[in-house]
Amino acid sequence: MPDIKQQISELRASALKELDGLSQAKELEEWRIGYLGKKSRLTELLRSLASLPIEERRELGQASNVLKTELEAVFKNKEHQLRCGELVAAGEMMDVTLPGRPFPAGHLHPVSQVLSEISDIFAGMGFQVVEGPEVEWDSYNFDALNIPPEHPSRDNMATFWLDSPPKEPEGWRMLLRTHTSPMQVRTMEQVAPPVRIVVPGRVFRYEATDATHLAMFTQIEGLAVDRGISMADLKGTLFEFARRFFGADRAVRFRTDFFPFVEPGAEMAIECAVCRGGGCRLCGGSGWIEILGAGMVHPRVLERAGIDSTVYSGFAFGIGIERIPMLHYGIDDIRLFYSGDLRFLKQF
Ligand code: FA5
């Protein structure tokens, strides 16, 4: 009897092992004949039980039948598996057990992320977010901002000029705006003080590109006009922005600069994220990266937009957006933002 018991267990082990390795319907049929057919080892084994005493016959007969039922079940299972495999391969059936294909969802570009974060910070300080045209008149981009035709600052802002429609007033030319500052004038023409706006948008300059300069980049303009606005309000607003965005531990430099549409003018720089002030390729060895120009709105700009400069005063600033995530994450080349390289973009 131990011998037959042993045979049943060996038969089971070899049947299951063989079945596991099968991959074709033909092989499966051979397996069925070998293990479950009329001349199979299992059938022979069942037949041989007839000569045993009744007690042993009952016990071994039961064990053999359990094995038979098990082998029939695993056979059916395998048959189903192979059949499904064939149908899937022939494209007649879908394998619903396969994991789904990942759907590339993408995300906002790092510049858009920073733009909306900065807009949120200024919105939290009471500024409204507005947008303006990228194709602009030279009168808004330059003249109304106290930059007359012969002014050397027009040379600094190397401009992409466009062919203007022939019917426009003489001297009006179209261009791709070189900064977001024309929206200062457009807003003051439309809205009576108090004014508090920020204007995010793209600007264009006919410039050679390098690690910190692009020909198309993004700015966010700020403008506040009201009674009694002073340089202290400008400085307080910009320092608060830098504290909220970069954190209180980041050094900020504020010093005088010249822009024809502000008086006095200033620029703000942030401690370089890569060298932390020591000097590197990104900051050109100075330890600082200039992120914005600012100042008190020039009385001539206020008057030209129809605002009485003896009653009202204002401040304005223009932040270069791409340089902000560079400072934030320590990115050492501005051109990466528009290289379209997913290995770079996926990090944000
Ligand atoms: C202006 O564009 C002024 N309109 C800013 C301003 C607004 C001054 C309101 C006063 C009042 P500027 O040319 O310095 O200024 O540019 C502002 C910021 O844009 C710079 O600080 C810098 O961060 C960024 N920027 C300038 N040129 C480039 C460039 N080629 N590529 C990338 N960022 C640039």
Side-chain angles (χ1 to χ4, degrees):
M1 173 161 140
D3 185 40
I4 296 186
K5 258 194 176 164
Q6 174 87 14
Q7 279 184 41
I8 293 175
S9 112
E10 279 173 11
L11 194 63
R12 178 175 183 277
S14 77
L16 294 182
K17 191 166 170 236
E18 266 182 47
L19 188 78
D20 203 36
L22 301 185
S23 60
Q24 282 173 17
K26 197 169 138 258
E27 296 168 343
L28 182 64
E29 182 54 14
E30 282 163 14
W31 182 93
R32 189 192 64 76
I33 295 168
Y35 284 101
L36 291 166
K38 280 194 188 132
K39 290 184 185 157
S40 67
R41 280 166 66 196
L42 186 61
T43 316
E44 270 171 33
L45 201 124
L46 279 164
R47 269 197 211 114
S48 70
L49 298 182
S51 57
L52 293 177
I54 179 98
E55 271 305 304
E56 289 180 21
R57 201 192 313 158
R58 185 179 304 140
E59 192 190 334
L60 293 170
Q62 203 177 5
S64 313
N65 278 323
V66 166
L67 176 61
K68 191 175 176 203
T69 316
E70 183 183 356
L71 293 186
E72 281 168 354
V74 292
F75 167 78
K76 276 221 163 76
N77 234 338
K78 187 79 181 184
E79 190 182 37
H80 180 70
Q81 237 181 36
L82 292 182
R83 178 80 191 119
C84 287
E86 278 167 15
L87 289 173
V88 169
E92 288 168 27
M93 192 176 130
M94 191 175 72
D95 185 352
V96 291
T97 66
L98 280 177
R101 291 203 183 105
F103 185 73
H107 60 71
L108 284 182
H109 189 279
V111 170
S112 305
Q113 289 179 29
V114 169
L115 206 52
S116 80
E117 212 176 310
I118 294 178
S119 302
D120 280 353
I121 290 176
F122 283 108
M125 291 196 257
F127 287 75
Q128 251 184 307
V129 182
V130 296
E131 285 185 76
E134 288 175 2
V135 174
E136 189 51 283
W137 295 109
D138 61 349
S139 60
Y140 280 114
N141 197 84
F142 295 126
D143 301 14
L145 288 166
N146 202 25
I147 312 176
E150 70 285 357
H151 198 284
S153 121
R154 289 207 194 205
D155 300 337
N156 293 345
M157 295 185 175
T159 304
F160 288 108
W161 292 97
L162 303 173
D163 291 337
S164 307
K167 280 203 193 130
E168 291 314 322
E170 194 158 348
W172 282 52
R173 291 175 69 198
M174 281 180 135
L175 46 81
L176 295 181
R177 65 178 175 191
T178 60
H179 51 173
T180 40
S181 300
M183 273 304 284
Q184 288 183 31
V185 185
R186 284 183 179 271
T187 307
M188 287 189 284
E189 276 179 355
Q190 305 267 328
V191 186
V195 172
R196 273 175 192 73
I197 52 147
V198 283
V199 189
R202 269 185 299 185
V203 302
F204 309 82
R205 290 184 196 176
Y206 189 42
E207 270 188 29
T209 58
D210 61 26
T212 51
H213 291 85
L214 290 166
M216 185 214 80
F217 60 102
T218 318
Q219 287 189 339
I220 187 160
E221 189 81 11
L223 173 71
V225 183
D226 206 346
R227 287 169 199 264
I229 288 210
S230 73
M231 192 78 174
D233 298 312
L234 168 64
K235 208 172 163 185
T237 305
L238 292 179
F239 274 49
E240 180 57 14
F241 153 69
R243 192 186 65 79
R244 290 195 197 180
F245 192 86
F246 294 105
D249 62 330
R250 204 63 171 278
V252 174
R253 187 184 71 185
F254 197 75
R255 63 182 189 181
T256 51
D257 199 350
F258 172 75
F259 299 94
F261 37 96
V262 287
E263 183 54 38
E267 58 129 76
M268 195 164 97
I270 308 283
E271 182 185 58
C272 176
V274 172
C275 62
R276 282 289 173 151
C280 66
R281 179 175 91 113
L282 178 63
C283 58
S286 72
W288 297 98
I289 293 188
E290 180 206 316
I291 59 156
L292 62 87
M296 299 304 293
V297 181
H298 198 291
R300 268 197 229 152
V301 175
L302 291 171
E303 295 290 342
R304 180 150 179 168
I307 291 178
D308 185 348
S309 65
T310 59
V311 179
Y312 294 104
S313 57
F315 67 72
F317 56 86
I319 309 174
I321 296 299
E322 283 79 1
R323 291 187 188 173
I324 306 271
M326 289 176 83
L327 285 162
H328 211 44
Y329 300 115
I331 298 162
D332 66 358
D333 196 324
I334 198 168
R335 291 166 288 199
L336 286 166
F337 287 112
Y338 301 105
S339 64
D341 189 338
L342 286 178
R343 288 169 305 179
F344 171 74
L345 294 174
K346 277 182 176 167
Q347 295 175 51
F348 303 96

